[in-house]
Amino acid sequence: MRDTTTLQPGLSVDCVIFGFHENELKVLMLKMKKMGKWALPGGFVDRDKDVDTEANNVLKRRTGIENIFLHQFHLFGKVDRNRPNHASNLLDNGLIDSKFKSWFEQRFITVGYYALVEYANVQAPKPDPISEKCEWLPITELPELILDHRQIIVKAHETLKKELNHQPIGLNLLPEKFTMPELQALYETVLEKKLDRRNFRRKMLSYEILIQTNERRLGGAHKAPTLYQFDKLKYKQAIDGGLKSGW
Amino acid sequence: MRDTTTLQPGLSVDCVIFGFHENELKVLMLKMKKMGKWALPGGFVDRDKDVDTEANNVLKRRTGIENIFLHQFHLFGKVDRNRPNHASNLLDNGLIDSKFKSWFEQRFITVGYYALVEYANVQAPKPDPISEKCEWLPITELPELILDHRQIIVKAHETLKKELNHQPIGLNLLPEKFTMPELQALYETVLEKKLDRRNFRRKMLSYEILIQTNERRLGGAHKAPTLYQFDKLKYKQAIDGGLKSGW
DNA sequence: AACTATTGTGTCTATAGGACACAAACATAA
DNA sequence: TTATGTTTGTGTCCTATAGACACAATAGTT
């Protein structure tokens, strides 16, 4: 714990870090020591640092990744969101020193950010001193979370769904090369609904943001699908213009 | 100025209050005494009050309106957004007492909200003690604003454009009864582009959220347009489902 | 009564979206 | 080597929606 006098009082940042693996949307979470509950990676904001900067630092500290898709999506400002026993619980479980108790007892608001990262790029996520581990958890089966962190994740997911129409998110969540079925599985997972295989392909190709390689993904007992990669320039242009209509 | 000890330190709320009048999108602004610059209506958040609550209070204090469309859209968290001379300027112009100077010198973040109100319902907007007047200004010709308030308005306008596809905003910005050309003018103003008169009517009616009255707006040297009003129940359902595609 | 401006209504066409059929190809088993 | 199961790649049909545009109806003005 840093010297709290350099921190902006009552303000924190929490990051909902999304990854995609085995056809599941996952969130990077920390398991608190003793308490057993899970928490979003977060941080406190230095008085002399931008809020965005701290969000980037959180992402860097837990994943080692920099300069990746990271969007602020909501401020959670209810007065009782860390009341009434959060500080006491932290203290009782030996997670903070008693001299910091009053710091944690004050009313806290938190700024929610969501990040899209390539699952394979985060091999060994790093827990913080008060957490016993840092792991990917499927968004569909979350355990008990501290405070309003479940609500924060729900809101992040809702935002991601809406943004999907304005930003082809695949670039950030998928590896360099991927197949059309894999891209579709990502969309179906985020949107929580099935899409027609042939219509999906037609529409996705119509954006003209994909480059077809001459490689195929072998190994399955069926026709080997072609590998694609994003045309990053056209991808950026498509985002700026906004994708026409939705899914 | 309230006793600052009851306030959440370094946190404010600013409201971009949109109105529609004479085919212009307007924003309710305060003109600061002496300084001459204009500012968004804002407020400080009590330690024991929700942030949303203070945003509603700001709206109530300046317009007298309660329970109206009010959405949080962004937290502005750059460390230098009120630096370096804001507190000194306030003091030099006699707008604050010197005992509050250090309070205003701290780093401030602000939560942006935007509101949609019926212009005619705000006849005499109320200035606060440090403002000489409170008026509607056209969004297209804003004078010099304090701090990053221009940027906040731009972001609010961008958000409104995006939301327009998910929420038929007319209900909040127009009077009880209105004509189709008036509704179209609102859309054209918010979107900053012309729409085809006949196609607009067709699409708007297809939502089935309007009720046609048997009244007409007389006075023009031309065919008198029919007055419509919103079917509030269907309006709500349409919002929940999300309007199909955009403008 | 003629004129002007704007509203109300309808048509045509191009495009996009949803439902669906069939051939091609990779791995495995016979 | 051949047959089989499974999934990919491609194309068609139909409908809904969107954009461009023509013409009649009507309130006020001259």
Side-chain angles (χ1 to χ4, degrees), chain B residues 180-181 197-198 201-202 221-226:
Chain B
M180 193 61 77
R197 186 173 65 84
R198 294 150 287 188
R201 165 188 289 273
R202 172 167 22 114
H222 49 72
K223 182 167 179 176
T226 306

Side-chain angles (χ1 to χ4, degrees), chain A residues 17-18 55-56 59-60 63-71 113-119 121-122 169 171-174:
Chain A
I17 304 171
F18 288 111
N56 274 290
L59 194 63
K60 173 87 184 293
T63 69
I65 298 179
E66 284 180 282
N67 299 324
I68 198 72
F69 183 103
L70 180 67
H71 278 198
Y113 285 77
Y114 77 98
L116 304 179
V117 304
E118 194 183 322
Y119 183 87
N121 280 359
V122 188
I169 58 172
L171 176 57
N172 304 288
L173 284 165
L174 291 174

Side-chain angles (χ1 to χ4, degrees), chain B residues 118-129:
Chain B
E118 193 182 322
Y119 183 86
N121 279 358
V122 187
Q123 291 294 357
K126 300 167 196 63
D128 62 20

Side-chain angles (χ1 to χ4, degrees), chain B:
Chain B
M1 187 74 197
R2 290 167 286 183
D3 177 356
T4 56
T5 59
T6 71
L7 298 177
Q8 182 74 9
L11 176 67
S12 62
V13 162
D14 285 303
C15 293
V16 181
I17 304 172
F18 287 110
F20 186 66
H21 186 57
E22 291 174 342
N23 284 356
E24 277 190 317
L25 195 60
K26 304 198 174 183
V27 183
L28 198 63
M29 305 286 301
L30 294 159
K31 183 169 188 185
M32 313 280 292
K33 289 174 182 167
K34 304 272 178 65
M35 289 173 76
K37 295 187 187 179
W38 293 73
L40 288 169
F44 302 111
V45 183
D46 265 316
R47 281 183 201 269
D48 61 353
K49 294 277 169 39
D50 293 345
V51 178
D52 284 346
T53 301
E54 176 56 24
N56 273 290
N57 289 343
V58 168
L59 194 63
K60 172 88 183 293
R61 285 201 296 271
R62 301 292 150 245
T63 68
I65 298 179
E66 286 180 279
N67 299 323
I68 198 72
F69 183 102
L70 181 66
H71 277 197
Q72 183 203 307
F73 66 94
H74 197 73
L75 173 101
F76 296 86
K78 287 219 174 299
V79 69
D80 60 353
R81 57 174 294 280
N82 64 328
R83 305 294 172 79
N85 294 321
H86 186 57
S88 302
N89 284 342
L90 291 174
L91 184 61
D92 294 346
N93 286 289
L95 299 181
I96 57 172
D97 191 281
S98 62
K99 71 183 172 189
F100 293 134
K101 182 165 183 255
S102 67
W103 164 259
F104 281 96
E105 258 170 355
Q106 64 181 319
R107 173 260 184 86
F108 258 87
I109 61 173
T110 196
V111 191
Y113 284 77
Y114 76 100
L116 304 179
V117 305
E118 193 182 322
Y119 183 86
N121 279 358
V122 187
Q123 291 294 357
K126 300 167 196 63
D128 62 20
I130 66 171
S131 307
E132 62 182 65
K133 56 184 172 184
C134 181
E135 281 179 7
W136 290 105
L137 300 183
I139 197 173
T140 51
E141 32 189 297
L142 294 173
E144 193 175 3
L145 309 186
I146 65 166
L147 307 179
D148 54 355
H149 284 200
R150 182 179 297 271
Q151 184 195 337
I152 293 174
I153 293 174
V154 168
K155 183 98 182 174
H157 191 192
E158 286 173 2
T159 306
L160 179 58
K161 277 194 197 180
K162 286 183 188 172
E163 290 290 300
L164 195 55
N165 291 330
H166 301 283
Q167 327 222 5
I169 58 172
L171 175 58
N172 304 288
L173 284 166
L174 291 175
E176 181 81 11
K177 296 177 181 178
F178 52 88
T179 67
M180 193 61 77
E182 285 162 4
L183 182 59
Q184 181 179 344
L186 169 60
Y187 270 72
E188 289 181 341
T189 303
V190 172
L191 296 173
E192 296 174 303
K193 71 175 176 186
K194 284 285 173 193
L195 302 171
D196 182 88
R197 186 173 65 84
R198 294 150 287 188
N199 296 335
F200 177 83
R201 165 188 289 273
R202 172 167 22 114
K203 184 163 179 177
M204 188 56 69
L205 288 176
S206 76
Y207 293 146
E208 299 187 321
I209 56 174
L210 295 181
I211 301 172
Q212 183 172 348
T213 73
N214 45 21
E215 302 170 64
R216 292 162 170 278
R217 168 133 23 246
L218 300 174
H222 49 72
K223 182 167 179 176
T226 306
L227 288 171
Y228 291 86
Q229 55 190 41
F230 284 102
D231 183 329
K232 295 191 182 175
L233 179 63
K234 291 188 178 174
Y235 183 98
K236 267 193 83 68
Q237 293 169 347
I239 290 177
D240 293 342
L243 290 185
K244 39 194 167 188
S245 69
W247 290 97

Side-chain angles (χ1 to χ4, degrees), chain A residues 191-206:
Chain A
L191 296 173
E192 297 174 302
K193 70 174 177 188
K194 284 286 173 191
L195 301 171
D196 182 88
R197 187 173 65 83
R198 293 150 288 187
N199 296 335
F200 177 84
R201 164 189 291 272
R202 181 187 349 136
K203 184 163 180 177
M204 187 57 68
L205 289 176
S206 76

Side-chain angles (χ1 to χ4, degrees), chain A residues 41-55:
Chain A
F44 302 112
V45 182
D46 265 316
R47 280 184 202 269
D48 61 353
K49 293 276 170 37
D50 292 345
V51 178
D52 284 346
T53 302
E54 176 56 24

